[in-house]
Amino acid sequence: MNKDDIIQSQTEPLLNYFQKVIPLNPKEKQLVIQLFKPRLYRKKQYVLQEGDVCNQFNFIVRGCLRMYKVDDKGTTYILQFATENWWLSNIGSFHERKPSELNIDALEDTMVLQISHENLLLLYTSAPKFDRIFRVLIENSFVSLQKRLLQNISSTASERYESFLDSYSHLTNRLPQTQIASFLGITPEFLSRLRNQQIKKP
């Protein structure tokens, strides 16, 4: 297998993802292969640190990332998890070119495909179809975070846990209880009680 074949095989999951949204022609597929770069992050390695400008849009091939904020007291607030075939970036920092107030790190060894801000603009001008694709991605991300904000304001811990199971059922056995509890804004002990209640349900 030559270098071009290896690169194409690495980008295959992303090409399949785009194909399901809007079919790509050969030129557009080649642009994806050229402009997205694979990168492996080891468990606990930072993808983005607070204070740095977010320079990459990340598509997760395998593994799990989290985006979070640590307050002055050292409390961690998790905004989002992202696993296979999901995207994760600090969109505000990426588009405004401003320092990030959030961190992104790897909860498992994680392979991503990344496109830089410069190359994403190049992708938009070279193939306008991607402008539409990424606009939908950003809109979906905004809707998801808006729903999460409303949940934190108006939902009970039990309701938030039910929502987590709906959205992240594939993560319940991959994440430590402390991570899930931090995402839900509750203690690990209270999460244990919620899990026991779920088990006892008929």
Side-chain angles (χ1 to χ4, degrees), residues 117-129:
H117 185 267
E118 180 183 2
N119 280 342
L120 184 59
L121 295 180
L122 176 60
L123 187 64
Y124 290 164
T125 56
S126 302
K129 184 180 293 183

Side-chain angles (χ1 to χ4, degrees), residues 5-198:
D5 290 334
I6 293 172
I7 294 173
Q8 183 159 356
S9 72
Q10 289 174 328
T11 54
E12 200 66 34
L14 181 55
L15 290 170
N16 291 337
Y17 176 92
F18 284 139
Q19 283 290 117
K20 292 175 183 176
V21 180
I22 302 177
L24 305 181
N25 61 38
K27 177 190 172 184
E28 291 161 344
K29 289 180 180 179
Q30 193 58 41
L31 280 169
V32 171
I33 293 169
Q34 290 173 352
L35 298 179
F36 280 86
K37 308 300 181 185
R39 179 163 180 184
L40 175 65
Y41 289 95
R42 296 297 184 186
K43 184 177 180 179
K44 298 184 179 181
Q45 185 177 355
Y46 281 104
V47 179
L48 173 68
Q49 281 188 276
E50 181 178 355
D52 294 339
V53 174
C54 181
N55 290 314
Q56 306 290 342
F57 222 93
N58 303 291
F59 176 81
I60 293 86
V61 176
R62 67 174 185 273
C64 180
L65 301 179
R66 66 168 178 167
M67 183 162 62
Y68 64 98
K69 170 74 175 177
V70 180
D71 69 13
D72 294 338
K73 297 179 180 178
T75 304
T76 299
Y77 299 91
I78 299 175
L79 277 71
Q80 191 177 353
F81 297 113
T83 56
E84 292 80 7
N85 295 314
W86 288 28
W87 299 83
L88 190 64
S89 294
N90 183 339
I91 296 173
S93 174
F94 182 85
H95 283 286
E96 294 178 1
R97 316 308 301 141
K98 292 181 178 179
S100 174
E101 296 181 359
L102 302 170
N103 301 281
I104 299 175
D105 66 5
L107 296 177
E108 305 170 348
D109 288 351
T110 302
M111 174 64 74
V112 300
L113 289 165
Q114 298 180 321
I115 188 166
S116 67
H117 185 267
E118 180 183 2
N119 280 342
L120 184 59
L121 295 180
L122 176 60
L123 187 64
Y124 290 164
T125 56
S126 302
K129 184 180 293 183
F130 288 103
D131 193 357
R132 298 199 302 275
I133 292 173
F134 277 85
R135 187 176 70 245
V136 170
L137 286 175
I138 292 169
E139 288 171 353
N140 289 342
S141 177
F142 177 78
V143 169
S144 176
L145 289 174
Q146 190 175 56
K147 286 180 178 178
R148 177 152 161 68
L149 176 61
L150 288 172
Q151 278 185 346
N152 288 343
I153 294 171
S154 60
S155 300
T156 65
S158 180
E159 290 169 339
R160 294 199 300 275
Y161 183 54
E162 291 279 358
S163 178
F164 174 84
L165 293 177
D166 288 340
S167 299
Y168 296 104
S169 58
H170 58 295
L171 283 180
T172 53
N173 295 321
R174 287 171 63 178
L175 292 177
Q177 194 157 286
T178 52
Q179 296 291 336
I180 298 174
S182 177
F183 179 81
L184 297 174
I186 59 178
T187 64
E189 293 76 19
F190 191 63
L191 176 58
S192 292
R193 292 203 293 273
L194 291 177
R195 281 182 157 174
N196 289 333
Q197 290 170 10
Q198 284 285 328

